[in-house]
Amino acid sequence: MARLKDGLSVLELFHGQTMAFKDLAMTCTVRFLNYFLQKENRRATVIVATSGDTGGSAIQSAKGLRGLDVVVVYPRGRVTPVQEKQMITCLEENIHVFAADGSSDDIDQPVRRLFADQELVRSHNLMSLNSVNWSRVMIQLSHFIYAYLQLSGVERCEADAALPEMEVVVPTGGAGNIAAGVVVKQMGLPLKLVAMVNSNDIVHRTVTTGDFSMAATVTQTLAPAIDIQVPL
């Protein structure tokens, strides 16, 4: 936690193995998953479509685990050099990494078709580690609860006083992390959530005007991990 001026603070979520905010949730999810698979003597194939940070985080969390085969697909030329090296330099036998042409949204389309085929899902025990995996979102609740307890001043409130509101700005691509914030808000913490997007602004347009129309292409920016139009 870095405290800046005028009540502004930055929650530093880049201290994990891959410097991605999702390292904590990914590690917990993968370890729990591997534990129960081994307990039931089962093996799973995990499909990960990534705009950059999810792939490296999933690989670091799952490499070498006996119960999981992880297949990562990333958009060629649309991730940072560091993100690409995190993915392609892992030589563990249970990790399989592929580059595909197109944007991360283009990659999501065949992944959706795979999971729509229930017979294929059952026969290969397919799973996902993208934000559609509820356990990842559930673990990310802790980010918001921790920040609130550290920064809101709630400990100074009178017993019968209303809880102080805290504004949280969340960089948003696939909307998984801010979904965790919405759940925390529904649980009773008075958060004011601000979704911050780049020029791929479909989340902004949808929330403000109801316009969920797709742009012709995904714009490449300096923040490739949120170069996303359709949340997955």
Side-chain angles (χ1 to χ4, degrees):
M1 180 86 65
R3 296 176 185 254
L4 309 180
K5 295 189 297 184
D6 302 322
L8 180 64
S9 297
V10 177
L11 187 60
E12 296 181 342
L13 300 177
F14 52 79
H15 294 287
Q17 286 183 304
T18 71
M19 297 179 290
F21 80 89
K22 54 195 65 173
D23 282 338
L24 172 63
M26 190 72 75
T27 300
C28 293
T29 295
V30 167
R31 297 292 168 166
F32 285 137
L33 175 59
N34 189 64
Y35 170 80
F36 287 110
L37 286 170
Q38 289 199 354
K39 191 173 182 180
E40 299 174 7
N41 196 27
R42 298 169 60 200
R43 190 173 183 86
T45 299
V46 178
I47 309 295
V48 178
T50 183
S51 57
D53 55 349
T54 303
S57 187
I59 288 169
Q60 287 299 315
S61 300
K63 64 181 184 180
L65 297 183
R66 291 180 293 173
L68 298 171
D69 276 305
V70 179
V71 179
V72 175
V73 185
Y74 70 92
R76 190 193 319 273
R78 289 177 177 260
V79 300
T80 68
V82 170
Q83 290 170 336
E84 186 170 41
K85 285 181 172 62
Q86 286 177 342
M87 291 185 278
I88 66 175
T89 57
C90 182
L91 303 179
E92 297 287 347
E93 292 185 358
N94 70 319
I95 303 297
H96 316 277
V97 181
F98 302 91
D101 294 328
S103 68
S104 62
D105 283 358
D106 296 326
I107 293 171
D108 286 344
Q109 294 178 25
V111 172
R112 287 193 183 93
R113 290 197 292 271
L114 285 175
F115 283 103
D117 187 337
Q118 291 302 302
E119 183 177 346
L120 181 68
V121 170
R122 285 190 296 270
S123 61
H124 291 275
N125 208 10
L126 294 186
M127 299 181 180
S128 173
L129 285 176
N130 286 89
S131 293
V132 293
N133 190 310
W134 160 243
S135 66
R136 267 193 51 201
V137 176
M138 180 176 64
I139 295 165
Q140 285 165 194
L141 302 184
S142 64
H143 298 165
F144 295 89
I145 296 171
Y146 175 82
Y148 186 84
L149 293 176
Q150 291 291 312
L151 299 172
S152 67
V154 65
E155 73 280 358
R156 297 189 296 272
C157 291
E158 299 292 334
D160 57 348
L163 294 176
E165 185 180 65
M166 187 177 77
E167 182 178 84
V168 185
V169 179
V170 186
T172 302
N177 197 32
I178 200 166
V182 171
V183 174
V184 170
K185 185 177 175 69
Q186 292 296 315
M187 290 168 62
L189 282 191
L191 299 180
K192 179 180 180 182
L193 297 169
V194 180
M196 188 281 295
V197 300
N198 57 22
S199 53
N200 298 290
D201 64 345
I202 190 168
V203 172
H204 169 72
R205 288 188 285 107
T206 301
V207 171
T208 55
T209 68
D211 177 14
F212 194 68
S213 60
M214 305 294 138
T217 59
V218 175
T219 302
Q220 288 186 258
T221 73
L222 294 176
I226 58 174
D227 286 348
I228 297 170
Q229 289 198 86
V230 185
L232 174 62

